[in-house]
Amino acid sequence: MGSVEEVVVLLVEDDPGHVRLIEKNLRRSGIMNEIVKVDDGQQAVDYLFGTGQYERSMRSPNLLVLLDLNLPVLDGYQVLRLMRRDERTRRIPVLILTTTDDAREVARCYDLGCNVYITKPVDYERFCDAICKLGLFLSIVTIPDGE
Amino acid sequence: MTADMSQRERDRDRFLLVAVLTGAACFFTYYFHVILGSGTVVTHFYYIPIILACLWWRRWGLAVALFLAAFLLLSHLFLRSHVFSPNDYLRAPMFLVVGLVVVTLAEKIAKAEQALRKAHDDLEKRVEERTAQLGQANQELKEEIEHRKRFEERLKRTAKELEKKNEEIKKFAYIVSHDLRAPLINLKGFAAELRGALRVLVPPLSAAMSRLDETERSAITTALQDVPEALGFIDSSVTRMDELINAVLLLSRLGRRELKLETVDMNVVVLETLQTLGHQIEQNGVKITSHPLPEVTADRLSMQQIMGNLLSNALLYLDPSRAGVIEIKGDRTTDQTTFCVKDNGRGIAERDMDKVFAPFRRAGRQDAPGEGMGLSYAQTLVDRHGGRIWCTSEQGVGTMFCFAIPHHWQEERKDYG
């Protein structure tokens, strides 16, 4: 059972401002885990499967993915789909964190196999609140063993 | 040529026949009288050639009658042994009479035949003319139909294009409004970060200020006031943008929701809406009269939203100088059902009339109980039913909003797939 401190958070987000805000608030809510930041879908896939630029790099077996949907190269849906299709990445928890709040999009993400869907609110207080709760959530969650 | 020849052949044959019969008739007279010695002059056979000749040659046939009459009268020259009685001689004029009768009849027939032929020709000619006329009318009609068909096709294509453009615009609105949210998150987030950073800076700065001189102290104080003020404006602007984006999203969503047409009892809809607005009505002491309303075939949710919007508007724009009175009525004609909400509020100025249905013109007062929709949403919904919404108003007197839903309108968005 992977302990929560060893879990690496893979933050897949293309907007640098959002990356900064999420990181700051995660830290403020007490999450001290390593955060790996990638800014497009292809890099995320490369990290997850050890291909491309991550071919020879050290990657943690215990992962949690924070995934935005509007990404360049490969979008969030495609990343999610690829993750759920592969035995190696099928169980990695995926939390969709995005601006869209359309009911159909939410349903689509759950159908594709995401674990949680969080809408990024423009209201910053609520945004911080959401990330803080995410931090709390992460601190109590049990991550399945990686390979 | 052959027709002519057969005609001449026939004439020749007829001539021969009559000649033969005439000759035979004369011969038989001679035979019966001289050879056989009968008492009377046998002239029975004379009638055959006379009738035939008069029938075929008419006036000329009389010549044969005349000839045979003469023959009869002169027969005493060679019928020596016979004493001619008056009976014999009376037969001569009989030949002529018979001949004349036949001629007359034949001429009548001939004339009738000619008249008939002429009538027939006339009729044929008229029929031809008529046929030509009809043919031309038919041709013109065909062209007209072609023309109409092409026009209809053009209309269909235009409608299809419009539909496509409409869908594109709606999709665009949807995408854009979501994409616009992302930078807003940054704006708000980093404004808050700045505020946070300022909070960190202020205490040590305030402490350190006592060691600075007057000018520096006042400059810093001003800056410490400016920063939160600036952040405040940034914050409020971002909030405003967020509201606008949400409104656009809602508008685009309204255009895409499926309409479910059913029979809607508008009295129930009004009752429900008034219940929702109950508090506001009581608070302002507004008197509401709802006349019995006709049923309408429409999307129930749309009707609720439109009626809700009109009624909450009426409640929002009361005239403070008098008690509010709102009247709701409806009317059903053969092709549409109309509903009106009339108030005695402050009215709308002439120059503001075109802003009435424009989106975002109620900015800041979007918190009417219910959906918080503007009239532009109501317009979208009415448009989707193929209806019309309009208002008449007099400033200081009151306003009346009406919308009409046609009875037989099919939202044809799917028909051009």
Side-chain angles (χ1 to χ4, degrees):
Chain A
M1 198 80 58
S3 74
V4 76
E5 290 82 24
E6 297 163 13
V7 171
V8 166
V9 175
L10 177 64
L11 176 56
V12 191
E13 167 65 65
D14 69 325
D15 186 311
H18 293 204
V19 171
R20 242 1 235 119
L21 291 171
I22 292 167
E23 190 182 11
K24 277 199 192 199
N25 285 290
L26 274 179
R27 293 283 179 249
R28 281 188 201 134
S29 68
I31 298 297
M32 294 306 151
N33 304 56
E34 184 192 347
I35 302 176
V36 174
K37 291 164 270 197
V38 293
D39 59 9
D40 70 50
Q42 185 58 56
Q43 283 185 53
V45 167
D46 284 343
Y47 184 88
L48 289 164
F49 295 109
T51 53
Q53 61 187 100
Y54 289 99
E55 199 168 335
R56 266 184 279 275
S57 57
M58 283 292 296
R59 291 151 36 237
S60 165
N62 300 313
L63 283 178
L64 182 136
V65 179
L66 289 178
L67 184 61
D68 185 23
L69 290 177
N70 300 334
L71 298 164
V73 190
L74 288 175
D75 68 29
Y77 301 104
Q78 290 168 305
V79 172
L80 185 55
R81 202 178 285 126
L82 286 169
M83 282 180 71
R84 291 300 179 241
R85 269 217 307 246
D86 191 297
E87 182 58 36
R88 296 167 289 172
T89 53
R90 204 160 51 89
R91 294 184 205 83
I92 299 176
V94 175
L95 293 87
I96 305 269
L97 193 62
T98 193
T99 47
T100 313
D101 60 358
D102 184 71
R104 279 171 301 184
E105 306 295 318
V106 176
R108 190 177 162 200
C109 287
Y110 277 113
D111 284 340
L112 281 171
C114 79
N115 299 82
V116 180
Y117 187 108
I118 304 167
T119 310
K120 288 181 209 160
V122 173
D123 182 333
Y124 191 54
E125 262 185 57
R126 284 176 54 205
F127 179 82
C128 294
D129 205 40
I131 304 296
C132 288
K133 290 211 171 75
L134 183 61
L136 288 170
F137 172 78
L138 289 179
S139 68
I140 59 167
V141 83
T142 306
I143 310 294
D145 259 340
E147 37 156 330
Chain B
M1 236 340 147
T2 37
D4 252 13
M5 275 172 64
S6 64
Q7 178 83 359
R8 261 186 286 168
E9 253 178 40
R10 202 184 53 175
D11 286 345
R12 192 196 56 190
D13 289 344
R14 283 182 177 174
F15 184 78
L16 277 176
L17 185 63
V18 169
V20 163
L21 285 172
T22 312
C26 297
F27 171 73
F28 275 117
T29 311
Y30 174 75
Y31 179 72
F32 275 109
H33 192 78
V34 175
I35 312 284
L36 293 182
S38 89
T40 51
V41 180
V42 177
T43 55
H44 302 88
F45 301 119
Y46 287 29
Y47 288 108
I48 300 175
I50 289 174
I51 290 173
L52 284 177
C54 289
L55 200 62
W56 287 334
W57 305 319
R58 282 175 258 158
R59 306 247 167 101
W60 291 104
L62 283 175
V64 172
L66 262 172
F67 170 77
L68 288 172
F71 180 81
L72 179 62
L73 290 172
L74 296 170
S75 62
H76 71 269
L77 286 174
F78 56 89
L79 295 176
R80 283 157 296 180
S81 58
H82 184 74
V83 176
F84 275 81
S85 65
N87 186 37
D88 300 324
Y89 292 112
L90 275 174
R91 293 202 188 122
M94 276 313 293
F95 297 156
L96 289 172
V97 166
V98 167
L100 274 170
V101 167
V102 175
V103 167
T104 313
L105 286 175
E107 291 210 318
K108 272 216 169 86
I109 291 173
K111 227 180 268 175
E113 267 180 19
Q114 197 182 39
L116 189 69
R117 203 169 297 127
K118 184 159 180 295
H120 179 261
D121 285 342
D122 268 351
L123 190 69
E124 250 186 40
K125 198 166 72 167
R126 273 223 302 259
V127 166
E128 241 178 67
E129 274 176 27
R130 244 344 152 82
T131 310
Q133 270 180 10
L134 279 173
Q136 196 183 19
N138 190 36
Q139 189 61 25
E140 283 174 14
L141 200 70
K142 273 201 192 128
E143 280 172 18
E144 177 76 24
I145 289 176
E146 268 309 302
H147 186 73
R148 292 274 172 96
K149 222 187 277 183
R150 266 175 290 154
F151 188 71
E152 200 183 289
E153 239 138 69
R154 207 148 40 109
L155 269 178
K156 269 206 183 119
R157 260 178 292 144
T158 309
K160 202 170 180 176
E161 275 171 30
L162 273 175
E163 175 66 35
K164 203 171 74 168
K165 283 276 147 48
N166 198 30
E167 283 302 310
E168 280 175 19
I169 289 174
K170 283 188 205 147
K171 229 186 285 177
F172 180 74
Y174 176 82
I175 292 171
V176 160
S177 48
H178 277 303
D179 286 359
L180 285 175
R181 273 188 179 156
L184 287 189
I185 291 173
N186 284 338
L187 283 169
K188 267 244 168 134
F190 287 104
E193 294 291 312
L194 282 174
R195 226 179 258 118
L198 191 66
R199 270 199 298 272
V200 167
L201 287 172
V202 164
L205 200 58
S206 311
M209 279 222 289
S210 51
R211 282 180 252 146
L212 300 168
D213 67 39
E214 188 54 45
T215 36
E216 286 175 324
R217 230 183 308 175
S218 63
I220 291 175
T221 314
T222 315
L224 287 178
Q225 284 165 346
D226 285 346
V227 174
E229 188 193 25
L231 290 174
F233 279 119
I234 292 175
D235 240 4
S236 60
S237 295
V238 171
T239 307
R240 175 89 185 94
M241 263 209 77
D242 194 34
E243 281 172 4
L244 289 172
I245 290 172
N246 285 332
V248 168
L249 261 180
L250 186 57
L251 204 61
S252 84
R253 259 189 217 141
L254 281 177
R256 289 148 108 220
R257 179 172 63 82
E258 287 265 352
L259 293 186
K260 283 185 281 287
L261 295 179
E262 57 182 299
T263 311
V264 181
D265 183 350
M266 285 305 269
N267 297 300
V268 171
V269 170
V270 167
L271 216 65
E272 287 170 348
T273 313
L274 292 176
Q275 273 173 346
T276 325
L277 299 168
H279 178 66
Q280 244 186 313
I281 296 169
E282 249 187 70
Q283 204 173 39
N284 293 301
V286 178
K287 176 167 175 288
I288 307 209
T289 315
S290 178
H291 300 279
L293 300 173
E295 284 180 340
V296 67
T297 305
D299 178 65
R300 178 178 297 277
L301 187 57
S302 303
M303 292 298 109
Q304 286 169 335
Q305 288 172 331
I306 297 168
M307 200 46 100
N309 178 243
L310 294 185
L311 284 171
S312 65
N313 269 348
L315 286 170
L316 280 171
Y317 291 100
L318 297 168
D319 190 322
S321 70
R322 54 175 175 258
V325 173
I326 297 177
E327 201 186 330
I328 308 163
K329 47 192 174 159
D331 177 46
R332 189 185 172 95
T333 61
T334 40
D335 44 38
Q336 61 184 18
T337 307
T338 312
F339 300 97
C340 294
V341 175
K342 185 166 173 216
D343 67 55
N344 67 343
R346 62 187 81 154
I348 305 167
E350 185 69 44
R351 61 174 183 276
D352 290 334
M353 281 303 266
D354 55 348
K355 286 194 210 139
V356 168
F357 292 102
F360 308 137
R361 285 297 161 255
R362 280 184 61 218
R365 303 198 68 183
Q366 282 178 356
D367 324 300
E371 309 279 85
M373 287 172 20
L375 281 165
S376 58
Y377 302 144
Q379 170 109 70
T380 305
L381 290 172
V382 170
D383 282 349
R384 286 192 70 201
H385 285 78
R388 226 170 40 100
I389 182 167
W390 68 97
C391 86
T392 44
S393 182
E394 198 185 324
Q395 207 170 15
V397 175
T399 312
M400 182 166 79
F401 274 93
C402 297
F403 66 100
I405 306 290
H407 293 167
H408 303 292
W409 193 76
Q410 268 304 114
E411 191 175 29
E412 294 174 24
R413 48 191 293 140
K414 301 281 188 294
D415 292 350
Y416 300 103

